Amino acid sequence: MGRDKRALPWVPASDGSARTLLGHVVATVSRLTDDIVLVANDDPGVTGARVVGDLYPRSGSLGGIYSGLAAAAHDLAFVAAADMPFLNPMLILDLVRQASRVDAVVPVTGGRPEPLHTVYRKTILAPARRQIERRELKIALVFDAVSTVKAQEADVRALDPDLRSFWNLNTPEEYQRALALAGDHGAGGA
């Protein structure tokens, strides 16, 4: 992208106030929980969330998941990337519902798990820590080590037909496309 994606301007909130992409993601998730944890090694300048640093720097997404989950106030946590503007609250709630007796619920799209749109239970912390300490940073290995439900694509599409929840923004073109789509569907696009 060439710049900090978290700070990209996003579609104004319903009250007309300006916000960033990360601010939009936080606002979307804040409708579902009273505890939002951002894993960052700087101040992302967003209100409504606690910022915690990486407990295992240079450990990729698995290190970030571990750090956020360790800091979470609740036993279950939904994990999302900061550049996912079309999170679907109904889909998130469905994943949480499926997590009643398991350690993780991961959507599978295109035959691949979506670990940055997953519900995790704190019970994954010990196996994740062991993996990090062994420098085995592939998140999918955690799913093999714990009780995991894989939410199949057909079931996910029942709540998110176009799989927009899983869109992330890596290029200026993807960002412009997402802005246009959000504008077409009302403020925020969620």
Side-chain angles (χ1 to χ4, degrees):
M1 186 69 75
R3 61 188 268 203
D4 185 352
K5 293 187 279 189
R6 303 172 304 174
L8 290 170
W10 191 246
V11 177
S14 57
D15 66 1
S17 62
R19 65 178 162 188
T20 63
L21 178 59
L22 180 58
H24 168 69
V25 170
V26 168
T28 300
V29 177
S30 71
R31 292 186 269 170
L32 305 174
T33 184
D34 61 351
D35 183 51
I36 298 176
V37 177
L38 296 176
V39 180
N41 292 318
D42 64 353
D43 179 2
V46 173
T47 59
R50 290 185 293 124
V51 178
V52 300
D54 272 316
L55 296 173
Y56 289 96
R58 294 175 305 283
S59 295
S61 296
L62 182 57
I65 291 167
Y66 180 90
S67 300
L69 190 56
H74 304 291
D75 184 48
L76 280 177
F78 171 71
V79 171
D83 64 344
M84 299 176 97
F86 299 111
L87 294 174
N88 179 320
M90 295 306 296
L91 177 57
I92 296 167
L93 289 173
D94 187 60
L95 298 175
V96 169
R97 179 192 55 76
Q98 293 180 60
S100 66
R101 292 190 168 93
V102 297
D103 300 311
V105 179
V106 58
V108 176
T109 64
R112 298 178 55 201
E114 298 282 355
L116 295 179
H117 189 291
T118 293
V119 173
Y120 296 93
R121 188 174 298 281
K122 284 191 177 228
T123 51
I124 75 140
L125 286 171
R129 183 179 60 249
R130 286 190 294 273
Q131 274 187 231
I132 292 168
E133 290 170 352
R134 290 189 308 258
R135 303 306 296 162
E136 296 173 354
L137 303 179
K138 188 173 180 183
I139 300 168
L141 295 173
V142 171
F143 301 135
D144 296 336
V146 300
S147 173
T148 301
V149 167
K150 293 183 178 175
Q152 296 304 309
E153 185 170 326
D155 297 325
V156 171
R157 283 185 183 274
L159 294 169
D160 185 356
D162 298 321
L163 301 177
R164 287 190 185 135
S165 296
F166 307 101
W167 288 13
N168 62 345
L169 309 180
N170 295 314
T171 67
E173 295 78 20
E174 289 172 348
Y175 171 57
Q176 291 303 319
R177 180 176 171 218
L179 277 176
L181 186 62
D184 289 345
H185 289 90

